[in-house]
Amino acid sequence: MRAVLPGKPKASLQAVCTAQWSGKRLIVYISGNALVILGGPHQLLQTIYHDDTQLLASVAIDKETGKIATCAGENILIYRPYGQNEDVLKWSLQFTSPIDLEDGTVSALSWGTSEELLVGSSALCLYQTNEEGTLIWRRKLSSPVASALFSPDSTLIASTAKYDRLVKLWRRLSYGSDDVRFDFSYLSHPSTVTSLQWRASSPNNQSSDDVLYTVCADNKVRVWALKDPHASQVLQLWAEIDIQASIQPRNLDSRSQNSARYVFFIDGKDFSSALEAGSRAAINAGKQNHALEHLNEIAERNPEICVVLDDYGHMSAWGLENIGSRARAPSDVFNFAHVENFNMLLTQTTVLRNECVRFFGFCTESPEMKYAVLVHHFDGRIVWLEGRIDEFFHPFPGKARLHLKSLWTGHEGSVKKIVRTASGTALISRTNDNEGIIWKQTPGKDGMALSRSSFVDSPEHIHRTWLLSNGDFAVNLHHHSISLWDTRGFEAKQIAWCGFKLEGKPLCLLELPRPDPAVPKRYLATMTSFLKGIVWEIRLPREGSMQTPEALASDSSLIKEYSSFDLNAAKEVTFVIPVDPAGSAPILAGFLDTFAQDLALSYTQGGVLQTWTAKVEAEGSVDWLMTSNIETGIDRPYLTSGSSTRKIALVNSLRNGLTIWDSRSGQLEFEKGYSSQEVIQDLDWTSTPDLQSILAVGFQHKVLVLAQIRYDYLDKGPAWAPIREIYIRESTPHAIGDSTWLGSGNLVIGAGTQLFVYDKLITSSDEMITDLSIPAHGHASVDIFDVVRLLNGPLPVYHPQFLAQCILSGKMLQVSKIVISLNKTLKFFDGDNLDSLLSIPAVEFFTRDEDIPPAHRKQKHSAYADFSDEEEPDSVTEELAATLNENLARYPVPYLSSQEQMHLADLVECVATAEKHRRSMDTNAMRYLLFVRQHLIRKAQGRRKEVNITWREIAWAFHSGSQDILVDLTSRHYQGRMLWEHAKESGMFMWMTDIDALRAQFETIARNEYTKTDEKNPIDCSLYYIALKKKTVLLGLWRMAAWNREQSSTQKFLSNNFQEHRWKTAALKNAYALLGKRRFEYAAAFFLLAGNLRDAVNICAQQMQDLQLAIAIARVYEGDKGLVLREILEDRVLPLAAFEGNRWLAMWAFWMLGRRDMAVRSLITPVYTLLDTPENPSQEARSYLATDPALVVLYKQLRDNSLQTLKGASEISPRAEWEFVMQTARLYDRMGCDLLALDLVRNWDFLQQPKDTLKPMAEIPDPRKMLRRRSSLVVDDLPSPRLHADKNSVAGKPPPTSAFQEPDASSLLDSFGF
């Protein structure tokens, strides 16, 4: 935690107290209805909130027991410490004691010995607090007490009333709870007594040496002591110090001649202890310190020190020696220091407001024994100043005497809202009482500090707030007016006001981009739920202007209505909020288009998100544009927040579910559900300097920080990850009110009356950091911006994700070169950073392989030839892969986690295996083989969750011309014993296109299923042989199953002719009986035996949840043109693809249906838009995972494949294809593959659109003319015109007759693909 702003201290004499207890300095003060307990300048021990609406009045701490007493309304509350031995010091309520209502409000508390507590109000009461609050003495007073204090030995009580010139001195006559008696006498003063203080301790540890200091309105300090024990008064006046005359400034300026004086006392013991520590430090340093020698001479006289200050940095110090002596010598009261430029942070505001200031002095527990002074300003601050005692009284005027250690301030009420500037250098925190404090970020000695700049107290309810000019001005939106405030002073002044009328309640206040940044005019807008609003023009003084608030207030043109607007909302929106600037102010792009920065975000009850931007026109109008429209499918969202980096976070109605959306693509990037006890109530955005997003999710007592991480399509990893969790319950029991980010990366959390400022540094040992495998390089902490940069920045070329995407893009030459270069580098690796490009020119990654001359391809593999005499291999061999993997196991590679190094080793092994078969298979087969091998390796190592390969790999194999080799290699992997579970895992029966080879392989599966157990059960293979229509083989297997009790009946049953209706019915009865016994696979076999293919595949798809088996049986049983297979594809596969957003599956299904044009379109267009009866897509379909960047590779490959695919591509608008390519480039960028994004946009070929756009719509242009580059072969798979003519004839429309036309020569060449 960087700092704590614990709350505004109450402006009363007994709102702050401090004591040394159990070796620890404790400071306790009242802030609103909270009790703040601190253990040092930067240590908040506890905050205790009281449910009572009445504010606390006074507080006192017992230096003997550590108990804390406070009063709230009609009760006295006693808190007892616990946990000090376990280093978790806290206080718990011991008891509550009611007070007599006739005594009025408690104004004074003071602890005595033996846990006695003095309570002062209209009466003086003494309580014994050992177990419960027992009243042991009470005395009614004529006037309410202003101050009442026990003497250190508890034998005397000094009390005074408000505006009283008499101090009543109570002397204790008896002890014991049964009979407590006091008598009293008066200490008369010529004027009102303003302060009372007992000497902390006697120099000789004598309990009878009680000394009382009083400060009077006549600017004199009086010292009362026991001079004559036989006198009628207990204490007699021993000395007087004229504090007005003590300071005589040399400056004759009348402003420095004011009469304000401040006094505090330094205990003689503290003075001596601090000097001893200073002397030791001087001796150790070997330096002579004349000021220290002078103070040591004074300390030998054991004096008490009286320090007098004024507002202009003058200080006078007096020594009081031999206090209480009968005959006071003139030298017993002596002045030993007069210092100028003594800075105690007594501001001119304190002088002008005539605020009271209280001082508390003590020695710190540090080895240097520095002297600290707590200054309680009644304007709402407590300042901790600290310094060496010799520097404190050093006569040199320019000496730095006291240093600011901490400043405690804040709110008196609970923080409701925090709003920051766009740059994040200033913020305003507001309470429910319409009070706001403006804070500014300032650099400090120990880093960033947050200091109070101004205080806003509005008489009207503040609905929304916006800060301008880095917090120098504030705009408050009220229900029917808007006001402008000058916040450059300590107290903000309202300088302009403007009323307005709108239909509906104003929901937001946001700033619009300025047309001319040089003109000091700002434009603010509000909007209602009907999307109607008003824009105001606000004229601010130029930067550096010295105009006072009074002069500005006289100008009526500071704020005026600029324009009104109506966005014609189709539905009433639930809320409109400004988009979080996330570190950047609104910028005018020049054009009002979707590239402009988002300004506002609206959402409806149906979960529709809309983002808006605007442009201020010079003629008094404002143009608005909707930049995105996202249907999230989340009803009645509770909360949403948008970022200028085009990210939107949305909380569901139960407040325990979070989704994050990309507003540019409309895709879901993150979805997380939390427990019902974890209620989300706040969302805050920030971004790194390179515009990578960070989200703080606020719960009731914790904040979870989420950061962008790279997209991972291969492992389907999350796009966001938690990097930090902040718990505030240890510091305060109050729930979080609001939070916001500072521009520096610090997080400010408002809870109750307090603000907590958390550092941007994250501990390296944090569990979330270690889980993400972020390298800390030995540092104890890491910067949050560096963490996000490592999680979401560009990848080195040797990263497994980059290599995998290169393989998918067909860049096998580059992959081989990267692996060879990495192997060479690791041979001589000494632990230093690796070049992220491995010295490979970046241009090679976005150069087409066909553009590389063949003579240079071999040369490209030997970039390190100059460094070694050994010949490097031209390709990745198994020997090279083994060597590289040994080095990967030996060295930690920079920018790779241990898990990523394991993935890299797996990938290298797969590349070596694929290279061995490279000459015998095409690129798609290589892709399939690589990723299937990687899947199998990770599965064997227990690092793969999915049982089967994805439809992406199936699609590559489906479009491969080397399927026979893939079948052979896949079978070899399973040692020729492939079962159905293995076939399903490899997707073999989905990607095989040769129906004869498919049936042969299915028969192999049937044999292996039969022989997979020692008993060789025919039931295991029944479904497969019956699907192959080989009942005779199955019957033979049953003849050998003599051990099976079902042999005779099954053998007899299978011997029948199932072409007959009787035996079909019998087979169906058996099938239904088996269904009742939940023997689904065997039941499907009997349905097939009865010739009922449809029911058999339905059982596989529904009861067995095995869609692949259903498709395989349909293909084997009736071929790829069968009616049942078409029904499965149309009724099950395509709706499933639409629901899941699986474009790979949709492409395969359309291709199997013979709709190759639709297959191509499905790679670009969301699947649910292509179906006649689309299902509502799931959240999975809206996910970023539904748009795999490898889709663009397959799209480009299939687009030029045939006339049908060209026709499908021609039905895609150029705008849609351009957006698809740009979105894929952005996906590559989010994956850290920036080089591949550059390659895509640099080398993409768009289809040429027909030049003649005036042709009738019925005339479809020739798709072949759309190609920019003519491939070697384009398959003509369009339906024959003759077939169309026949269909028209059947429909009753005779085909039109036409005269013969001789074909053009070019069209003939086109028909052959030339």
Side-chain angles (χ1 to χ4, degrees):
M1 188 186 299
R2 164 65 66 181
V4 181
L5 299 167
K8 179 182 179 181
K10 184 181 177 68
S12 68
L13 293 174
Q14 279 215 307
V16 181
C17 64
T18 180
Q20 185 78 13
W21 175 75
S22 189
K24 194 174 190 67
R25 171 59 56 175
L26 300 178
I27 301 98
V28 185
Y29 75 87
I30 296 170
S31 178
N33 64 336
L35 207 60
V36 182
I37 308 172
L38 301 113
H42 306 296
Q43 184 184 18
L44 177 64
L45 296 176
Q46 190 178 0
T47 306
I48 303 173
Y49 284 89
H50 298 82
D51 297 332
D52 195 342
T53 56
Q54 293 184 343
L55 301 182
L56 303 178
S58 57
V59 65
I61 184 168
D62 187 0
K63 63 181 180 181
E64 294 181 359
T65 64
K67 288 185 177 181
I68 298 174
T70 186
C71 53
E74 304 167 359
N75 296 307
I76 299 172
L77 301 97
I78 306 297
Y79 292 91
R80 176 168 47 193
Y82 67 93
Q84 59 268 34
N85 296 329
E86 293 80 17
D87 200 24
V88 284
L89 181 59
K90 299 292 179 184
W91 279 258
S92 63
L93 183 65
Q94 180 184 357
F95 64 85
T96 301
S97 179
I99 60 174
D100 194 337
L101 295 177
E102 296 180 357
D103 294 344
T105 305
V106 175
S107 55
L109 295 173
S110 180
W111 285 96
T113 57
S114 303
E115 300 185 43
E116 293 180 343
L117 178 66
L118 177 67
V119 180
S121 56
S122 296
L124 278 181
C125 300
L126 189 61
Y127 288 85
Q128 176 56 249
T129 65
N130 286 328
E131 298 298 332
E132 295 182 356
T134 304
L135 181 64
I136 59 176
W137 176 76
R138 179 178 181 274
R139 184 67 177 268
K140 186 70 175 177
L141 302 175
S142 58
S143 300
V145 166
S147 179
L149 296 174
F150 258 126
S151 64
D153 59 3
S154 301
T155 59
L156 300 175
I157 298 174
S159 68
T160 184
K162 195 173 184 181
Y163 308 119
D164 199 349
R165 68 180 189 86
L166 298 175
V167 174
K168 190 173 288 188
L169 198 64
W170 305 79
R171 179 173 59 181
R172 191 162 188 167
L173 303 177
S174 62
Y175 293 85
S177 58
D178 296 334
D179 183 22
V180 177
R181 289 178 293 124
F182 286 84
D183 66 359
F184 65 90
S185 58
Y186 291 102
L187 303 180
S188 179
H189 293 72
S191 186
T192 302
V193 177
T194 59
S195 176
L196 299 175
Q197 182 176 336
W198 291 99
R199 183 175 64 178
S201 61
S202 60
N204 300 320
N205 295 323
Q206 298 176 4
S207 60
S208 60
D209 292 345
D210 290 323
V211 176
L212 179 66
Y213 306 119
T214 62
V215 182
C216 193
D218 62 351
N219 278 336
K220 287 187 178 181
V221 172
R222 289 172 173 83
V223 183
W224 305 83
L226 181 59
K227 293 197 302 183
D228 183 3
H230 303 290
S232 59
Q233 285 187 327
V234 181
L235 298 180
Q236 298 90 40
L237 181 62
W238 183 79
E240 289 183 352
I241 300 176
D242 189 339
I243 58 177
Q244 181 67 34
S246 297
I247 296 178
Q248 298 294 333
R250 299 185 181 93
N251 187 3
L252 298 180
D253 189 353
S254 60
R255 291 179 300 172
S256 63
Q257 306 294 325
N258 64 17
S259 60
R261 297 290 185 267
Y262 309 95
V263 178
F264 68 94
F265 298 90
I266 299 177
D267 184 62
K269 284 188 175 181
D270 287 345
F271 184 70
S272 300
S273 299
L275 281 176
E276 288 177 7
S279 300
R280 288 194 301 269
I283 293 172
N284 294 334
K287 295 181 179 179
Q288 189 175 10
N289 190 328
H290 296 291
L292 189 61
E293 294 173 358
H294 171 63
L295 292 176
N296 281 328
E297 293 176 359
I298 295 172
E300 291 176 358
R301 303 168 63 177
N302 293 323
E304 306 294 320
I305 308 299
C306 175
V307 180
V308 183
L309 305 167
D310 71 356
D311 299 308
Y312 293 91
H314 303 110
M315 186 270 283
S316 178
W318 295 80
L320 305 174
E321 184 184 0
N322 299 323
I323 298 179
S325 58
R326 270 178 192 270
R328 179 175 68 85
S331 59
D332 287 346
V333 179
F334 57 94
N335 181 273
F336 66 90
H338 187 88
V339 176
E340 297 188 4
N341 298 329
F342 191 90
N343 182 20
M344 289 288 285
L345 300 184
L346 300 175
T347 62
Q348 294 303 310
T349 306
T350 305
V351 181
L352 296 174
R353 292 165 56 93
N354 196 23
E355 295 285 3
C356 182
V357 179
R358 287 201 68 195
F359 297 88
F360 304 85
F362 50 87
C363 276
T364 63
E365 296 82 31
S366 62
E368 298 87 0
M369 291 289 289
K370 291 184 177 180
Y371 194 75
V373 181
L374 283 183
V375 186
H376 175 202
H377 298 262
F378 278 31
D379 62 0
R381 295 174 293 148
I382 299 177
V383 180
W384 180 307
L385 301 169
E386 191 175 291
R388 284 172 43 186
I389 199 73
D390 57 318
E391 295 176 346
F392 194 93
F393 296 106
H394 200 287
F396 188 68
K399 191 75 173 177
R401 307 175 191 284
L402 293 177
H403 305 280
L404 177 66
K405 292 293 290 183
S406 187
L407 190 151
W408 300 323
T409 184
H411 288 277
E412 199 169 14
S414 296
V415 175
K416 173 186 176 183
K417 185 67 178 176
I418 304 177
V419 179
R420 72 169 200 173
T421 59
S423 62
T425 56
L427 59 90
I428 180 171
S429 53
R430 290 193 289 111
T431 68
N432 290 320
D433 302 325
N434 301 318
E435 294 180 350
I437 297 179
I438 294 178
W439 310 85
K440 290 192 176 181
Q441 183 178 338
T442 56
K445 180 181 179 182
D446 300 324
M448 189 284 307
L450 201 63
S451 59
R452 186 174 72 172
S453 173
S454 185
F455 175 75
V456 179
D457 187 4
S458 174
E460 292 185 77
H461 172 73
I462 299 177
H463 190 50
R464 296 289 183 268
T465 299
W466 196 268
L467 295 181
L468 301 172
S469 298
N470 197 30
D472 288 342
F473 295 89
V475 177
N476 289 330
L477 178 68
H478 314 287
H479 288 305
H480 301 289
S481 64
I482 185 171
S483 58
L484 176 63
W485 296 69
D486 187 338
T487 58
R488 292 175 293 179
F490 185 81
E491 286 190 354
K493 303 291 185 182
Q494 180 177 316
I495 57 176
W497 179 92
C498 181
F500 66 87
K501 289 184 179 180
L502 267 177
E503 180 184 356
K505 180 182 178 181
L507 298 178
C508 68
L509 184 64
L510 53 97
E511 184 177 2
L512 307 183
R514 290 181 283 172
D516 185 1
V519 178
K521 291 182 180 179
R522 301 297 181 91
Y523 298 89
L524 267 67
T526 188
M527 203 179 299
T528 69
S529 58
F530 300 101
L531 295 186
K532 298 179 180 180
I534 297 175
V535 178
W536 292 278
E537 181 185 82
I538 299 175
R539 187 169 57 84
L540 300 177
R542 294 187 178 274
E543 188 175 351
S545 172
M546 301 305 293
Q547 285 181 282
T548 63
E550 292 75 14
L552 291 172
S554 62
D555 190 348
S556 59
S557 63
L558 289 178
I559 181 169
K560 65 179 181 179
E561 185 173 323
Y562 187 74
S563 70
S564 59
F565 58 89
D566 186 354
L567 301 183
N568 299 318
K571 293 183 179 179
E572 185 177 359
V573 300
T574 304
F575 225 85
V576 182
I577 59 172
V579 166
D580 198 315
S584 59
I587 300 173
L588 187 64
F591 298 97
L592 189 63
D593 52 26
T594 56
F595 294 99
Q597 182 175 324
D598 292 339
L599 300 177
L601 168 66
S602 64
Y603 62 93
T604 66
Q605 287 285 347
V608 178
L609 300 175
Q610 295 176 328
T611 55
W612 304 85
T613 188
K615 181 181 180 182
V616 178
E617 300 292 349
E619 59 273 9
S621 64
V622 177
D623 295 333
W624 290 84
L625 176 68
M626 184 172 66
T627 55
S628 67
N629 186 81
I630 305 172
E631 294 186 7
T632 64
I634 300 174
D635 291 332
R636 301 187 307 278
Y638 169 76
L639 179 66
T640 188
S641 178
S643 166
S644 58
T645 54
R646 298 291 178 93
K647 305 296 179 186
I648 301 175
L650 187 69
V651 179
N652 64 2
S653 58
L654 299 177
R655 300 173 61 183
N656 62 353
L658 173 69
T659 54
I660 301 177
W661 303 77
D662 186 311
S663 64
R664 182 181 284 108
S665 62
Q667 291 178 334
L668 175 65
E669 292 192 340
F670 180 80
E671 184 176 16
K672 177 70 174 179
Y674 302 94
S675 66
S676 57
Q677 290 78 22
E678 295 182 302
V679 177
I680 302 174
Q681 53 189 31
D682 186 34
L683 299 168
D684 293 288
W685 289 99
T686 190
S687 64
T688 63
D690 53 350
L691 298 181
Q692 299 184 48
S693 299
I694 305 173
L695 174 65
V697 185
F699 298 87
Q700 283 190 314
H701 297 284
K702 74 173 183 179
V703 174
L704 185 65
V705 180
L706 300 174
Q708 274 184 291
I709 61 176
R710 301 180 193 94
Y711 284 170
D712 184 0
Y713 287 91
L714 300 179
D715 292 329
K716 297 182 179 179
W720 292 77
I723 60 173
R724 191 177 189 182
E725 200 166 24
I726 299 172
Y727 290 92
I728 69 164
R729 194 183 285 274
E730 295 181 358
S731 302
T732 175
H734 203 287
I736 294 174
D738 198 11
S739 61
T740 193
W741 291 94
L742 295 176
S744 58
N746 300 86
L747 181 65
V748 180
I749 300 175
T753 62
Q754 301 169 331
L755 293 178
F756 300 89
V757 185
Y758 286 88
D759 205 343
K760 67 176 181 178
L761 298 178
I762 307 175
T763 306
S764 302
S765 59
D766 190 284
E767 183 178 349
M768 292 183 175
I769 298 298
T770 54
D771 288 347
L772 293 170
S773 302
I774 296 174
H777 305 293
H779 298 294
S781 58
V782 288
D783 191 295
I784 189 172
F785 290 164
D786 294 336
V787 170
V788 179
R789 196 174 295 113
L790 288 170
L791 292 174
N792 198 40
L795 292 170
V797 295
Y798 51 82
H799 195 282
Q801 174 154 291
F802 184 86
L803 290 173
Q805 292 301 322
C806 283
I807 293 169
L808 290 174
S809 300
K811 296 184 176 297
M812 288 302 299
L813 285 176
Q814 286 81 358
V815 171
S816 297
K817 182 164 186 179
I818 291 169
V819 173
I820 294 170
S821 300
L822 181 61
N823 178 60
K824 181 67 177 179
T825 304
L826 289 184
K827 285 182 180 179
F828 309 100
F829 187 59
D830 56 359
D832 293 335
N833 287 335
L834 283 179
D835 178 18
S836 62
L837 292 175
L838 294 176
S839 301
I840 302 173
V843 68
E844 294 190 12
F845 291 96
F846 46 83
T847 302
R848 300 174 190 260
D849 286 345
E850 57 266 27
D851 295 339
I852 302 175
H856 294 285
R857 295 191 183 186
K858 183 175 180 179
Q859 182 182 355
K860 286 177 63 178
H861 289 288
S862 55
Y864 291 91
D866 297 337
F867 299 97
S868 175
D869 296 333
E870 299 179 6
E871 183 68 23
E872 288 293 326
D874 294 336
S875 61
V876 181
T877 62
E878 292 182 346
E879 293 77 13
L880 184 145
T883 304
L884 177 55
N885 286 350
E886 288 178 4
N887 290 327
L888 287 174
R890 186 180 301 119
Y891 303 116
V893 180
Y895 307 113
L896 293 185
S897 65
S898 57
Q899 187 176 15
E900 288 168 344
Q901 280 194 223
M902 295 173 65
H903 289 178
L904 177 59
D906 296 344
L907 190 61
V908 169
E909 183 180 341
C910 295
V911 170
T913 304
E915 281 285 343
K916 187 168 64 173
H917 304 281
R918 183 175 183 179
R919 295 182 181 274
S920 57
M921 62 177 64
D922 58 16
T923 306
N924 284 343
M926 290 277 289
R927 292 183 177 111
Y928 174 83
L929 182 62
L930 273 166
F931 290 103
V932 168
R933 289 275 301 174
Q934 189 175 16
H935 164 83
L936 295 173
I937 290 174
R938 294 192 188 182
K939 181 184 175 185
Q941 296 171 348
R943 293 186 282 120
R944 190 79 178 187
K945 297 179 182 178
E946 292 85 358
V947 177
N948 306 321
I949 64 170
T950 66
W951 281 96
R952 177 182 55 239
E953 281 70 51
I954 292 174
W956 297 127
F958 183 68
H959 291 289
S960 170
S962 311
Q963 291 185 356
D964 52 345
I965 299 173
L966 292 181
V967 171
D968 181 57
L969 291 174
T970 306
S971 300
R972 279 194 213 172
H973 175 77
Y974 298 108
Q975 292 81 41
R977 306 285 299 172
M978 181 181 287
L979 303 175
W980 171 250
E981 62 176 310
H982 303 142
K984 180 181 177 182
E985 181 180 21
S986 64
M988 177 180 292
F989 289 93
M990 302 299 102
W991 51 257
M992 290 182 68
T993 55
D994 187 342
I995 195 66
D996 295 329
L998 181 87
R999 288 174 175 145
Q1001 191 63 34
F1002 202 73
E1003 187 170 0
T1004 303
I1005 297 293
R1007 286 196 302 269
N1008 293 337
E1009 288 287 343
Y1010 173 69
T1011 59
K1012 69 180 179 181
T1013 60
D1014 294 336
E1015 60 185 11
K1016 297 181 181 179
N1017 193 345
I1019 296 177
D1020 295 337
C1021 62
S1022 297
L1023 177 61
Y1024 304 96
Y1025 277 117
I1026 295 176
L1028 289 164
K1029 301 179 182 178
K1030 295 190 176 184
K1031 186 190 70 169
T1032 308
V1033 177
L1034 181 61
L1035 186 59
L1037 297 178
W1038 271 108
R1039 290 194 187 103
M1040 294 184 288
W1043 56 270
N1044 196 316
R1045 64 181 181 178
E1046 298 178 4
Q1047 182 201 22
S1048 59
S1049 59
T1050 306
Q1051 184 179 347
K1052 182 179 179 181
F1053 185 75
L1054 289 176
S1055 301
N1056 297 303
N1057 183 7
F1058 290 95
Q1059 300 298 323
E1060 299 179 9
H1061 178 72
R1062 169 192 173 187
W1063 296 112
K1064 280 187 178 182
T1065 304
L1068 288 174
K1069 288 181 179 180
N1070 282 322
Y1072 286 117
L1074 290 168
L1075 272 179
K1077 296 178 181 179
R1078 302 188 66 81
R1079 297 175 67 181
F1080 299 126
E1081 183 177 329
Y1082 207 25
F1086 274 85
F1087 275 118
L1088 281 180
L1089 195 62
N1092 197 336
L1093 174 62
R1094 183 175 287 102
D1095 287 341
V1097 298
N1098 284 339
I1099 289 173
C1100 295
Q1102 291 181 357
Q1103 278 75 15
M1104 297 177 64
Q1105 294 293 306
D1106 194 340
L1107 185 60
Q1108 282 200 37
L1109 181 59
I1111 295 171
I1113 289 173
R1115 295 185 70 188
V1116 168
Y1117 192 86
E1118 63 174 2
D1120 287 345
K1121 304 298 183 182
L1123 181 62
V1124 174
L1125 178 62
R1126 174 173 290 273
E1127 289 179 359
I1128 295 175
L1129 297 175
E1130 291 179 347
D1131 299 340
R1132 291 188 181 274
V1133 177
L1134 285 175
L1136 177 64
F1139 182 74
E1140 296 179 350
N1142 192 334
R1143 301 187 185 185
W1144 301 100
L1145 177 58
M1147 181 280 306
W1148 175 85
F1150 279 125
W1151 200 279
M1152 289 291 295
L1153 288 169
R1155 294 299 309 273
R1156 299 185 177 185
D1157 55 338
M1158 297 292 289
V1160 172
R1161 291 176 60 189
S1162 68
L1163 294 174
I1164 286 185
T1165 311
V1167 184
Y1168 65 88
T1169 63
L1170 301 177
L1171 302 184
D1172 296 333
T1173 55
E1175 281 197 32
N1176 292 326
S1178 63
Q1179 292 292 66
E1180 185 180 358
R1182 297 182 173 98
S1183 170
Y1184 76 96
L1185 293 171
T1187 311
D1188 193 326
L1191 289 168
V1192 77
V1193 180
L1194 186 59
Y1195 168 75
K1196 188 174 183 180
Q1197 182 184 122
L1198 298 184
R1199 184 186 66 179
D1200 307 343
N1201 183 275
S1202 68
L1203 293 184
Q1204 264 205 61
T1205 58
L1206 277 172
K1207 177 177 176 294
S1210 68
E1211 294 175 3
I1212 300 171
S1213 67
R1215 176 74 182 182
E1217 184 176 359
W1218 181 83
E1219 289 179 348
F1220 175 65
V1221 172
M1222 295 306 298
Q1223 182 184 6
T1224 305
R1226 287 193 293 269
L1227 295 178
Y1228 276 133
D1229 181 64
R1230 277 287 274 116
M1231 296 173 68
C1233 305
D1234 304 66
L1235 292 172
L1236 297 182
L1238 180 59
D1239 170 62
L1240 177 65
V1241 298
R1242 186 176 186 268
N1243 297 320
W1244 183 262
D1245 289 330
F1246 289 94
L1247 290 177
Q1248 291 182 345
Q1249 296 301 311
K1251 296 180 180 179
D1252 188 3
T1253 59
L1254 300 177
K1255 290 184 178 182
M1257 292 300 295
E1259 297 185 23
I1260 301 176
D1262 188 349
R1264 292 166 294 180
K1265 296 182 179 180
M1266 303 175 69
L1267 290 174
R1268 295 181 183 271
R1269 300 187 183 194
R1270 186 60 53 85
S1271 60
S1272 60
L1273 179 65
V1274 178
V1275 179
D1276 186 357
D1277 55 355
L1278 288 173
S1280 171
R1282 174 70 181 172
L1283 294 177
H1284 286 292
D1286 292 343
K1287 290 180 180 179
N1288 291 336
S1289 300
V1290 172
K1293 297 180 181 179
T1297 59
S1298 59
F1300 172 77
Q1301 268 191 330
E1302 183 177 354
D1304 184 62
S1306 61
S1307 66
L1308 291 174
L1309 292 174
D1310 286 341
S1311 297
F1312 288 96
F1314 294 111

